[in-house]
Amino acid sequence: AAVSKDAVLAHVRARFAERFVAQGFVPGAGQTVVRRGDTIDQKVCFDAEQLTDSVRLRAWVAFQCPDVSHVWQDALGDAAAPSAQRLWSEPLPDVTLRPSELATGPVRPADDAAVQSLPDADRWLEGFCTWFASTALPRLDVVRRAADLGRLALTATPLKQLPRRHDRPPCEQYSRLVLAFAFDPERLPRWTNAL
C-alpha cells in the first residue's frame, strides 16, 4: 500500500525541528521552524501532497518583514489587510523562496520530491538539510533588514521563475512590488509585468 500523507508528515515533522535547532531555529506552527531576527522573521516550511502511489514533499523559506508589509497595507488601507489575514492562521509571508530560487550556481535542487516510504522521506530530509546548511543558510544569515531581503529576493532567478509560480497570495505580490520599487527600480517594470 502507498504511504499516506499523514504518516509522512508526522514522520518528517518529528525530525525536522531537531535538524534546525543548531542553526537558531525553533519549532513553529504546523510544519515550520522559525528564526526571529531584529526586523525579519525567517521560516523554513515543508508540506506534503498525497499522490496515487506516493507522497510529494516540498520545502520553502518564508520571510516576514513588517517594514515591507506596512507599506502596502498603509497604501491600500484597512480593507485589504484584514481580508487577506483571515485566509491565514498566522502572519502573512512577505516573500517565499523555493530551494531552486535560493540556490547558487548552475545546479539547482529540486523544489519537491515524491517519496514512497518513510525511509524515502528520511533520505529527502537528509538531502534537504544538508543542502540547506551548506547553501541556503549562509545566504539567510545576512538577511537582517528589508534591503537584505531585497538583495536576496530580487535576483534574476526568482524574477525568471515568478510567472510559473501561481501559489503566491496577494500579500506577497504587494510585498514584492514594494521591494522592487525600493531596491530594484531598474527592473521594476519587469517585476510588475511578472506579478
Side-chain angles (χ1 to χ4, degrees):
V3 67
S4 74
K5 169 185 165 180
D6 291 341
V8 170
L9 282 176
H11 185 76
V12 173
R13 185 182 300 120
R15 291 161 177 76
F16 195 73
E18 70 189 35
R19 294 298 306 268
F20 286 88
V21 168
Q23 284 107 11
F25 289 87
V26 297
Q31 290 83 243
T32 66
V33 291
V34 181
R35 182 164 70 167
R36 304 209 183 279
D38 293 337
T39 62
I40 295 180
D41 289 348
Q42 302 173 359
K43 292 183 180 184
V44 183
C45 315
F46 77 95
D47 200 359
E49 172 188 2
Q50 185 72 55
L51 303 176
T52 303
D53 59 352
S54 61
V55 173
R56 182 173 312 282
L57 279 167
R58 66 181 64 87
W60 66 95
V61 178
F63 301 88
Q64 291 172 289
C65 182
D67 290 344
V68 172
S69 55
H70 88 80
V71 174
W72 64 262
Q73 289 173 0
D74 289 351
L76 295 177
D78 294 335
S83 63
Q85 184 63 55
R86 280 195 300 270
L87 300 174
W88 297 79
S89 60
E90 55 187 69
L92 299 165
D94 290 300
V95 171
T96 59
L97 293 171
R98 294 176 174 177
S100 62
E101 294 171 311
L102 276 168
T104 56
V107 179
R108 300 198 174 278
D111 289 327
D112 54 33
V115 300
Q116 296 179 323
S117 66
L118 296 182
D120 284 351
D122 284 334
R123 283 188 287 280
W124 171 83
L125 180 61
E126 183 64 31
F128 176 79
C129 291
T130 299
W131 167 82
F132 185 87
S134 66
T135 302
L137 191 60
R139 298 191 76 197
L140 299 183
D141 282 344
V142 299
V143 178
R144 301 190 182 284
R145 53 197 179 96
D148 304 326
L149 182 57
R151 277 191 288 281
L152 181 67
L154 299 174
T155 61
T157 300
L159 178 57
K160 182 179 175 183
Q161 293 184 3
L162 194 60
R164 294 188 294 256
R165 287 202 51 195
H166 304 287
D167 61 338
R168 295 186 199 277
C171 61
E172 186 174 349
Q173 295 176 28
Y174 297 143
S175 292
R176 292 259 183 169
L177 286 175
V178 170
L179 285 168
F181 180 82
F183 305 113
D184 199 4
E186 300 83 29
R187 292 191 299 183
L188 179 59
R190 290 181 60 196
W191 283 103
T192 304
N193 185 54
L195 286 162

